Amino acid sequence: MRAYRLIAGMWVRSTMAYRASFAMTTFGNFAATFLDFVAIMLMFSRVDALGGYPLPEVAFLYGLSAISFGLADLVIGSMDRLGRRVRDGTLDTLLVRPAPVLAQVAADRFALRRLGRVTQGALVLGWSLTRVDIDWTVDRLLLMPVMVVSGCGIFCAVFVAGAAFQFVAQDASEVQNAFTYGGTTLLQYPPTVFAKELVRGVTFVLPLAFVNWLPATHVLGRPYPLGLPEWTAFTPPLVAVACGVLAGLAWRAGLRSYRSTGS
């Protein structure tokens, strides 16, 4: 963590040396991600509900997904550059430094502009909370921050596992993005609009459903996907820890298999 803070701090100081550029790129990130929600709003100009979910409830799912992914992308989003380092041999320079390779790769080119996605997701979530009719019990209140933190942890694990895969594939950043950026886009929509096979896949194989689908159904009082028991809504922290452990093992295995380019 110390190595990560030092490297990230260096990039933050570099970014803040050009404050106008930072402000413009952050706003650009905010505007670009907001277009995703504009597309959803355009859908609702033609329909009253999407998979049985009205616009405020879809916005609720969207906001949770955007915040969780945005935090993971901010903290560890540079992992998708690993394939490029493996191909050109620049990963060798990280191996000889007295700091963990994972911390160096994760903090490389730390970009504060990614806060634009988090801010946009928070605004959409805040708007949805003023529109949805939720019976705020203690468990539902506590589940809100748990969803965000656990969702961030699950996406971080996916980033690390995708990076580990690049040790083998070397040119697999787009494959990784399909599960990270593609995953957050998937979670912005209700599970009822997708085939049951896909819902099973993101529940039991790649457990992205624990980011927002399962806990959000409890908060919204909706039927659980696939008829799962109610207690599964409170398991995202356990799923995040399990995903983190598996991603860590995959990372260690990938790093051990690295043989450099020979150049």
Side-chain angles (χ1 to χ4, degrees):
M1 292 302 298
R2 181 175 180 272
Y4 179 90
R5 288 196 300 268
L6 289 173
I7 298 171
M10 175 191 69
W11 284 106
V12 170
R13 290 191 296 273
S14 174
T15 299
M16 298 311 293
Y18 304 93
R19 296 180 184 272
S21 176
F22 164 71
M24 288 187 289
T25 54
T26 302
F27 177 76
N29 185 269
F30 174 93
T33 54
F34 185 70
L35 291 177
D36 292 337
F37 188 64
V38 170
I40 294 176
M41 294 177 67
L42 290 174
M43 292 182 194
F44 277 92
S45 67
R46 299 296 182 182
V47 298
D48 296 326
L50 192 62
Y53 283 64
L55 178 58
E57 292 185 353
V58 174
F60 183 76
L61 295 175
Y62 177 97
L64 290 171
S65 173
I67 294 173
S68 297
F69 177 78
L71 290 173
D73 190 36
L74 173 68
V75 172
I76 205 168
S78 298
M79 297 297 293
D80 59 0
R81 293 192 179 92
L82 181 67
R84 190 181 312 160
R85 286 188 172 277
V86 171
R87 289 196 308 275
D88 61 22
T90 56
L91 183 63
D92 294 1
T93 61
L94 306 186
L95 291 170
V96 299
R97 292 174 182 170
V101 178
L102 180 59
Q104 296 183 69
V105 176
D108 184 38
R109 298 187 180 276
F110 184 88
L112 272 181
R113 68 177 183 276
R114 293 170 178 159
L115 283 172
R117 179 188 293 271
V118 180
T119 304
Q120 183 261 339
L123 290 175
V124 173
L125 179 62
W127 176 83
S128 71
L129 290 175
T130 65
R131 297 292 190 274
V132 292
D133 184 17
I134 299 175
D135 180 16
W136 288 111
T137 57
V138 174
D139 58 332
R140 287 187 170 98
L141 284 171
L142 294 177
L143 200 54
M144 291 295 294
V146 169
M147 272 192 285
V148 172
V149 175
S150 301
C152 174
I154 291 171
F155 272 122
C156 283
V158 175
F159 269 111
V160 174
F165 177 68
Q166 293 191 53
F167 279 113
V168 178
Q170 298 185 8
D171 192 13
S173 60
E174 294 306 319
V175 175
Q176 179 178 348
N177 291 342
F179 293 101
T180 52
Y181 292 92
T184 188
T185 302
L186 176 78
L187 297 177
Q188 291 170 2
Y189 297 91
T192 50
V193 304
F194 300 105
K196 286 188 177 181
E197 290 75 14
L198 179 60
V199 177
R200 289 192 185 98
V202 296
T203 302
F204 301 112
V205 181
L206 184 67
L208 294 176
F210 292 87
V211 173
N212 65 347
W213 278 357
L214 288 172
T217 52
H218 177 75
V219 175
L220 296 173
R222 286 278 182 173
Y224 281 51
L226 306 176
L228 294 172
E230 293 186 5
W231 57 263
T232 55
F234 302 94
T235 57
L238 298 177
V239 174
V241 171
C243 289
V245 171
L246 293 175
L249 293 174
W251 172 263
R252 290 172 65 88
L255 194 59
R256 288 196 195 99
S257 68
Y258 178 66
R259 293 295 180 268
S260 185
T261 60
S263 60

